[in-house]
Amino acid sequence: MTILCVRFQLPELYEAALPGLLGLLEEFTPVVEALPPDAALADLGGAERYFGRDAVELARLIRVRALAHHGVDCAIGAGPGPMLARMALGEAAPGEIRVVPDDPDAITEFLADRPVRALPGVGGATARTLCEYGLDSIGRLAAAPLSTVQRLVGARAGRELHEKAHGIDRGRVVPNAVTRSLATERTFRRDELDPDRHRRALLSATEELGARLRAVERVCGRLTLTVRYADRSATTRTRALAEPTAHSTALTAEAYRMYEALGLQRARVRAIALRAEDLGSAEHAAHQLTFDPVDERVRRIEEVADRARAKFGPRAVIRGSLAA
């Protein structure tokens, strides 16, 4: 089994071009999993036999077609499983194909010297715990007894990490997988005290999330706001929406309410992150009808703006308050 992990070089993580690029991958294999905003997994197990080409040759052909048909370059990682393909992609520069051979010795060599933080499933806290006990590389984690790893991070997590450190990848490519959430973050150049700049960052984030949701025909049912402060602490709030939506104005209004509820007084804010969760199909989403002509006019403008962005790029149409 050979898996490709392809990251397309889309402008500013804009997803409008992703469906067409997924269609390009589906010309080679029906087993394609979207990884919005700009990547995908493809299982070439049957494609290699059908086309009589190995994974590297197919990857080169995919890159050429992406350039020729869509004007988009890509970086590609290939490996015997999704985990190794993703890790290979992490080391591939734009336009480069990085391959992990399906050979135990080659897999061990690929993993051995990498920091344990590079292993999928190892977050900051887990990495610090492992490093405190000298397990700072994947090779050392693999050499440690399973019981030791389980005592440090827990029985289930320890077994999973120990298997991954040995190159055992139980992941599979799931065709047409549904994205569970979309997120974006705005980081300030310095610790920001001005509430107006906080609100402007929220406006920029909701505009991006709304455009990304509409590009993939999804709606969100819940928003999560995270405010990070100068002392590295953070406040997180989650709120369910009155109705699932991808309407930027509705998302902005809800984000503003969540921000105001925090009651920040002279808070030194370093970053603001916003996540759209509980995603569902826009086709099946219910919308409360309204007689407000302003709302209807804003939604029509939004549709026109989306078409302009899809053709000319994500900054073709932006709000005046964000133009600077």
Side-chain angles (χ1 to χ4, degrees), residues 146-299:
L146 172 60
S147 58
T148 300
V149 180
Q150 288 180 316
R151 282 197 298 272
L152 293 177
V153 300
R156 181 177 177 180
R159 180 175 296 277
E160 291 178 353
L161 291 182
H162 203 254
E163 288 183 348
K164 290 177 180 178
H166 283 88
I168 300 173
D169 187 358
R170 302 188 185 279
R172 294 291 181 269
V173 179
V174 182
N176 302 320
V178 176
T179 304
R180 293 183 175 86
S181 67
L182 291 176
T184 187
E185 184 175 26
R186 296 294 182 269
T187 302
F188 298 106
R189 294 182 179 178
R190 64 175 188 273
D191 299 333
E192 187 56 67
L193 294 168
D194 188 352
D196 289 337
R197 291 185 179 273
H198 299 166
R199 291 170 65 88
R200 193 177 305 161
L202 283 173
L203 175 61
S204 172
T206 53
E207 285 286 308
E208 179 190 330
L209 282 182
R212 289 170 62 184
L213 286 166
R214 294 189 298 274
V216 294
E217 299 181 349
R218 313 293 291 174
V219 293
C220 78
R222 188 171 61 192
L223 276 181
T224 294
L225 170 67
T226 300
V227 179
R228 296 187 177 88
Y229 307 106
D231 61 358
R232 298 188 179 183
S233 63
T235 301
T236 300
R237 294 291 184 271
T238 300
R239 183 174 295 182
L241 303 178
E243 64 179 25
T245 185
H247 184 31
S248 293
T249 300
L251 296 174
T252 301
E254 194 61 51
Y256 282 171
R257 284 192 287 269
M258 295 169 70
Y259 170 79
E260 296 296 340
L262 293 178
L264 301 180
Q265 299 292 330
R266 302 290 295 173
R268 296 167 59 200
V269 175
R270 178 165 295 175
I272 292 177
L274 203 63
R275 179 178 294 275
E277 301 175 329
D278 286 350
L279 303 193
S281 171
E283 182 181 358
H284 300 104
H287 170 54
Q288 178 65 47
L289 297 177
T290 175
F291 293 103
D292 182 4
V294 175
D295 182 71
E296 295 301 319
R297 191 181 310 118
V298 170
R299 289 178 183 270

Side-chain angles (χ1 to χ4, degrees), residues 113-162:
D113 295 330
R114 279 163 178 73
V116 71
R117 184 68 177 83
L119 201 63
V122 177
T126 301
R128 286 192 295 272
T129 299
L130 294 173
C131 289
E132 286 175 359
Y133 288 87
L135 306 180
D136 56 351
S137 70
I138 298 177
R140 290 176 178 172
L141 177 62
L146 172 60
S147 58
T148 300
V149 180
Q150 288 180 316
R151 282 197 298 272
L152 293 177
V153 300
R156 181 177 177 180
R159 180 175 296 277
E160 291 178 353
L161 291 182
H162 203 254

